[in-house]
Amino acid sequence: MTLLLFVILPVSKRKDIKMNIYAKLETLLHSPQIVHCLEKIRKNEEKVLTFQKEMALIEAPTFQEEARGQALFSLFQEMGLTNVTTDDIGNTFGTLFGTDSKSRGNIVIEAHMDTVFSKGSVHEIIEKDGVIYCPGIADDTRGIALLYGLLLAMKGTDIPLRKNLIFLGTVREEGAGGCGGLKHYLRNHPDTECCISVDGPDSDLIVLGGPGTRTIEVVFHGKGDHAYAGCGYVGNPVRAAVRAMNKISSFTPGESPRTTCEITGFQAGDLAGIHAIPSRASITLNFRSEEKTALENLESFIFSALRDGVQEENDFVTGCGVTYEIIDHVNIPVSCMPRESELVQTMDAVIKSLGMTPLYDTKCPTNANITIGSGLPGICIGGGGKAGSYHSPQEWFDPADSYLGVQAAFLLCMILTDAVLS
Ligand SMILES: [Zn+2]
């Protein structure tokens, strides 16, 4: 929490903190232990890639991450983490204990285990011209592989951390999961001081946050009746839904801040009931904005459209009307970590120390939205390498220099956990 307050500090204080970050980094980069670990990370890249390919073949659609969770559980145990746990929804984590027993704040580094690919769609790894092709190979199997890269580097290297470092594989990040895995973890672990998400490739990436996302399902209920006998008397859920959708369709997307709303699904009736007023209709809506107030205003607009659409239908009939309910599927807050904050400045310095230029992104919704939305300092970083065709069967990962992503994450963790060097 203290890190977030950084933005309101006077300029002189900001300079102090920046000096402090550079001083810590300087000490780290001159420590033989750290230099040894950085070298180990470079040498281990082949091992990390082998692991990444093995993990990519363990299918893990959102809500079905068990097999990958079990593999990660075994890995965490093998690598010597303590208190290795899989929680009630499948998040899998273990702890590297710090030396400061009084420190209550844990540093968490996490990657999501789930992918957007349904079971049966991942068959093999194809390698061509040094590029690896497999659905999910980058998003976010690379993040999981980075956790392994860190553990490999730290195993057998006696660097005492002051604060506890938690390695976490989360479930339910993608799609209808709505970043629910990390939400669940943070709710149950108020001892978290800061959480770093690793998602996808790139060694120079700092995602500060992204738009807020809401996905809702609206179910319209009616009594149902004969299409001829009931017409004019009995409320029709389909017509109520259409009336509401008509109003919602008058929304014009905004560019600044980018604010969007789409009707993404509509279900009602069936062939057997072509002469019936159905008793049920449902629509799904996805709406987003980069700005909190714009998202709230859009939500009010949508909720009024639903209320008014149903009211119009109920005014239209003389008998039994239509009711509706809203089911929340995804609710990710709008989030943006201040660029001047200590956490962001630390990662900025780390990336520069490895000879790269930080690449900032403020438009990418990730698990970091959840961390920041919970009032904790958080960013999302890349796992190294390059990648593309995300969420498609052609997803690819180019591992050239991907060790740099692991090195950057390692240095960041050393600073955040206040590693004690000899
Ligand atoms: Zn991802």
Side-chain angles (χ1 to χ4, degrees):
M1 192 65 92
T2 48
L3 296 179
L4 276 180
L5 297 177
F6 180 72
V7 279
I8 53 168
L9 291 174
V11 176
S12 60
K13 188 80 182 159
R14 285 190 207 176
K15 271 189 188 152
D16 285 354
I17 289 176
K18 211 162 180 170
M19 294 302 290
N20 196 16
I21 293 168
Y22 278 100
K24 276 186 191 172
L25 197 51
E26 187 72 8
T27 314
L28 283 178
L29 294 171
H30 282 96
S31 149
Q33 286 165 299
I34 297 292
V35 172
H36 175 63
C37 282
L38 291 173
E39 190 51 23
K40 260 171 94 178
I41 290 171
R42 200 178 60 77
K43 287 188 180 151
N44 283 335
E45 193 46 39
E46 229 16 81
K47 262 190 191 171
V48 172
L49 284 174
T50 304
F51 173 79
Q52 187 177 338
K53 288 181 259 184
E54 283 166 7
M55 282 300 267
L57 291 175
I58 305 175
E59 295 190 290
T62 306
F63 297 109
Q64 297 176 67
E65 303 92 343
E66 300 83 3
R68 211 177 262 206
Q70 278 163 13
L72 202 58
F73 187 96
S74 305
L75 178 86
F76 285 169
Q77 279 191 325
E78 245 168 64
M79 299 305 291
L81 292 182
T82 315
N83 293 350
V84 178
T85 307
T86 295
D87 71 14
D88 53 325
I89 66 164
N91 289 312
T92 299
F93 49 95
T95 308
L96 204 58
F97 274 105
T99 53
D100 187 354
S101 55
K102 284 191 214 102
S103 166
R104 280 167 302 158
N106 294 335
I107 307 299
V108 175
I109 182 151
E110 70 90 21
H112 67 88
M113 295 189 286
D114 60 320
T115 74
V116 301
F117 303 99
S118 55
K119 278 220 167 123
S121 48
V122 180
H123 305 290
E124 56 179 344
I125 299 280
I126 297 171
E127 294 190 59
K128 214 178 138 202
D129 302 327
V131 176
I132 308 166
Y133 296 82
C134 181
I137 186 72
D139 183 10
D140 185 24
T141 317
R142 180 59 199 174
I144 298 288
L146 180 140
L147 299 185
Y148 177 55
L150 289 182
L151 288 167
L152 268 181
M154 292 161 86
K155 198 173 162 71
T157 313
D158 202 17
I159 305 173
L161 311 175
R162 277 212 179 87
K163 292 175 184 172
N164 299 337
L165 180 60
I166 315 281
F167 289 77
L168 166 66
T170 45
V171 293
R172 304 185 186 181
E173 193 265 357
E174 301 281 8
C179 299
L182 186 62
K183 239 184 221 179
H184 187 80
Y185 178 87
L186 292 178
R187 209 180 296 130
N188 290 305
H189 294 86
D191 48 5
T192 305
E193 182 185 297
C194 167
C195 177
I196 307 302
S197 297
V198 189
D199 203 343
D202 298 316
S203 303
D204 51 0
L205 181 68
I206 307 178
V207 182
L208 300 177
T213 303
R214 294 285 309 271
T215 304
I216 59 169
E217 180 183 357
V218 189
V219 185
F220 301 81
H221 301 280
K223 178 171 143 315
D225 208 320
H226 192 281
Y228 179 67
C231 185
Y233 306 117
V234 175
N236 186 336
V238 180
R239 201 164 41 220
V242 170
R243 290 181 194 280
M245 283 194 281
N246 249 330
K247 294 179 193 301
I248 291 166
S249 301
S250 71
F251 167 79
T252 312
E255 276 315 315
S256 188
R258 176 85 175 143
T259 305
T260 63
C261 172
E262 279 296 351
I263 300 165
T264 55
F266 178 36
Q267 279 91 35
D270 55 28
L271 260 186
I274 52 175
H275 291 162
I277 298 171
S279 59
R280 187 184 192 278
S282 72
I283 58 176
T284 46
L285 298 165
N286 175 254
F287 53 105
R288 307 177 190 223
S289 180
E290 294 170 335
E291 208 250 324
K292 190 170 178 272
T293 316
L295 191 62
E296 286 165 358
N297 291 341
L298 180 54
E299 183 194 276
S300 309
F301 165 77
I302 290 167
F303 284 13
S304 313
L306 294 169
R307 202 173 42 242
D308 295 349
V310 169
Q311 190 57 52
E312 266 177 30
E313 176 62 15
N314 290 345
D315 290 344
F316 176 74
V317 294
T318 54
C320 187
V322 170
T323 58
Y324 69 105
E325 59 177 321
I326 297 171
I327 302 163
D328 233 324
H329 281 294
V330 173
N331 190 348
I332 300 171
V334 181
S335 303
C336 190
M337 191 68 189
R339 196 150 163 167
E340 305 80 3
S341 62
E342 189 171 349
L343 174 59
V344 176
Q345 286 300 310
T346 302
M347 191 56 189
D348 188 285
V350 162
I351 289 171
K352 285 175 183 160
S353 77
L354 293 171
M356 299 178 285
T357 306
L359 178 72
Y360 283 96
D361 189 337
T362 56
K363 294 187 186 299
C364 186
T366 64
N367 264 343
N369 275 51
I370 302 301
T371 307
I372 303 161
S374 323
L376 294 171
I379 47 171
C380 177
I381 61 174
K386 291 282 163 212
S389 303
Y390 306 109
H391 293 196
S392 88
Q394 291 79 37
E395 189 167 329
W396 57 269
F397 179 75
D398 179 350
D401 294 337
S402 56
Y403 67 89
L404 284 169
V406 188
Q407 288 183 335
F410 170 73
L411 288 173
L412 180 66
C413 288
M414 290 303 102
I415 294 178
L416 295 177
T417 54
D418 243 333
V420 190
L421 304 168
S422 55

